[in-house]
């Protein structure tokens, strides 16, 4: 489970970096610049304001998912530590018996 969460987090961070680069590029464009979006094999013209908004929303969503995964990783780590402590206590009790 830890590996799955970590793998998902890495994928999201990669998407976040990619979208941040797109966001920077869109900010450099003039307001009347033509922007195209790849949909399957076709490039479709898209409004610049809409494109900026979509990227902003995507970054917000990805950021939220990363935070959610971080909480999951933290909780999982805490559970592992608790179990480890229990095992150590049991081993100590076994050695004393």
């Amino acid at each position: 489970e830890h590996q799955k969460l970590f793998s998902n987090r890495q994928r999201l961070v990669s998407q976040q970096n990619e979208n941040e680069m797109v966001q920077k590029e869109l900010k450099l464009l003039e307001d009347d610049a033509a922007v195209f979006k790849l949909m399957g094999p076709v490039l479709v013209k898209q409004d610049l304001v809409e494109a900026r908004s979509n990227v902003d929303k995507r970054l917000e969503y990805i950021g939220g998912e990363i935070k959610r995964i971080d909480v999951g990783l933290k909780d999982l780590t805490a559970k592992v530590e608790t179990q480890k402590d229990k095992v150590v206590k049991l081993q100590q009790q076994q050695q004393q018996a």
Side-chain angles (χ1 to χ4, degrees), residues 16-68:
Q16 185 180 42
N17 290 336
E18 187 177 307
N19 278 280
E20 285 172 349
M21 288 182 2
V22 170
Q23 185 182 47
K24 288 177 187 175
E25 290 295 321
L26 289 175
K27 285 181 180 179
L28 294 175
L29 296 176
E30 299 291 328
D31 289 337
D32 60 346
V35 177
F36 295 88
K37 179 178 183 177
L38 186 62
M39 296 182 76
V42 180
L43 283 175
V44 178
K45 191 169 184 175
Q46 188 177 27
D47 180 55
L48 179 58
V49 174
E50 181 183 348
R52 287 176 178 161
S53 175
N54 287 344
V55 171
D56 290 344
K57 287 177 187 173
R58 202 174 309 129
L59 281 168
E60 186 177 318
Y61 173 78
I62 290 169
E65 286 297 298
I66 289 172
K67 286 179 185 176
R68 185 183 63 77

Side-chain angles (χ1 to χ4, degrees), residues 73-91:
L73 284 168
K74 184 178 177 183
D75 290 347
L76 190 58
T77 301
K79 287 178 185 177
V80 168
E81 288 299 318
T82 300
Q83 292 300 319
K84 193 188 307 183
D85 290 344
K86 287 180 182 179
V87 169
V88 168
K89 285 179 184 178
L90 287 173
Q91 286 175 338

